[in-house]
Amino acid sequence: MHRTSSTESSFAHGAAGQIEIQVDLPAVVRGIALVCHPHPLFGGTNHNKVVTTLTRSFRELGFVALRPNFRGVGKSEGQHDHGVGETDDMLAVLDWARARWGESLPLVLGGFSFGAYVQTRLTGRLAAAGAQPPRHLVLVGMAAGMTEGVGGGSSRRYETPAIPGHIPTLIIHGETDDTVSLSNVLDWARPQRLPVIVVPGADHFFHGRLGLIRELVGRNVAPV
């Protein structure tokens, strides 16, 4: 019988305890996509609409899409660690995924806001370890430089690392983002000569523009 796509819940073990993961399976798994959610102290979870949009986009391209909850969110154990422990946890999730689906499958990393920041850190960790690099990065509303807290929260500064090597990187940012200024992302991308796709009129959460994110992923990330 031909199997259709499905979603299941699972857990990986990280340094701070269990990591809750939503697993979105295509009919046939041909690659692995890891998608990271926005800041957990400002309501970010793996059910965020941008995150689920990225998940559906990757699944349609043949990737099994993993949506972990960061430390302290949902059933994930531990406490928020400003991206440091979260990066360690994402490495543990990748180890878990590769043990289940194999080491040789192509990898795509995607993230929204704080989750995109964590993915830049994770990419650097993979490069430092000499691991196979991700086939593609998708960074949406990425946290870089000084940012404002959602809903009037305190501001924070992100020292977002550069992307190592020549990994194809899709950066999508809203023109009217008042959480992470577009100028912050351009300042980060400029010395790396990375193009940034600006969505006119879009805010940080891409209200009314989620379909465009899905379309951009479909245009720029090749199916497996």
Side-chain angles (χ1 to χ4, degrees):
M1 180 181 294
H2 177 71
R3 187 172 68 82
T4 59
S5 59
S6 62
T7 301
E8 63 183 48
S9 296
S10 195
F11 294 91
H13 184 74
Q18 71 177 9
I19 306 166
E20 181 185 21
I21 311 168
Q22 288 294 304
V23 180
D24 290 86
L25 288 152
V28 178
V29 175
R30 296 189 174 93
I32 297 169
L34 174 63
V35 184
C36 291
H37 68 71
H39 205 296
L41 300 186
F42 299 97
T45 76
N46 63 4
H47 292 290
N48 171 271
K49 290 183 179 180
V50 175
V51 169
T52 56
T53 296
L54 289 173
T55 296
R56 286 194 298 270
S57 303
F58 293 139
R59 184 177 62 190
E60 289 169 359
L61 296 172
F63 295 89
V64 54
L66 313 176
R67 289 181 284 143
N69 266 330
F70 285 135
R71 295 181 176 196
V73 179
K75 297 179 182 178
S76 290
E77 296 176 334
Q79 295 180 336
H80 176 64
D81 195 31
H82 309 284
V84 178
E86 288 82 358
T87 304
D88 293 338
D89 291 345
M90 294 308 99
L91 284 168
V93 171
L94 286 181
D95 287 343
W96 173 87
R98 285 165 171 158
R100 178 169 175 179
W101 289 289
E103 295 280 344
S104 61
L105 291 181
L107 171 67
V108 167
L109 302 180
F112 172 44
S113 194
F114 173 78
Y117 164 73
V118 171
Q119 295 290 36
T120 65
R121 291 178 50 88
L122 178 60
T123 304
R125 288 282 296 275
L126 291 172
Q132 181 178 356
R135 168 175 157 171
H136 215 111
L137 290 179
V138 180
L139 308 174
V140 180
M142 189 180 64
M146 189 64 69
T147 68
E148 297 299 324
V150 176
S154 59
S155 59
R156 303 169 305 288
R157 182 169 186 84
Y158 291 92
E159 300 294 342
T160 307
I163 304 301
H166 301 283
I167 299 169
T169 303
L170 173 62
I171 305 169
I172 306 171
H173 210 79
E175 178 192 20
T176 62
D177 192 325
D178 59 2
T179 298
V180 183
S181 169
L182 174 60
S183 63
N184 288 13
V185 177
L186 292 173
D187 288 345
W188 173 80
R190 189 176 299 111
Q192 303 180 72
R193 299 185 177 181
L194 291 173
V196 178
I197 295 179
V198 179
V199 180
D203 61 11
H204 187 61
F205 294 97
F206 292 85
H207 293 300
R209 310 294 202 284
L210 295 174
L212 182 55
I213 291 176
R214 197 169 179 176
E215 182 180 335
L216 288 168
V217 172
R219 285 185 199 168
N220 289 277
V221 179
V224 288

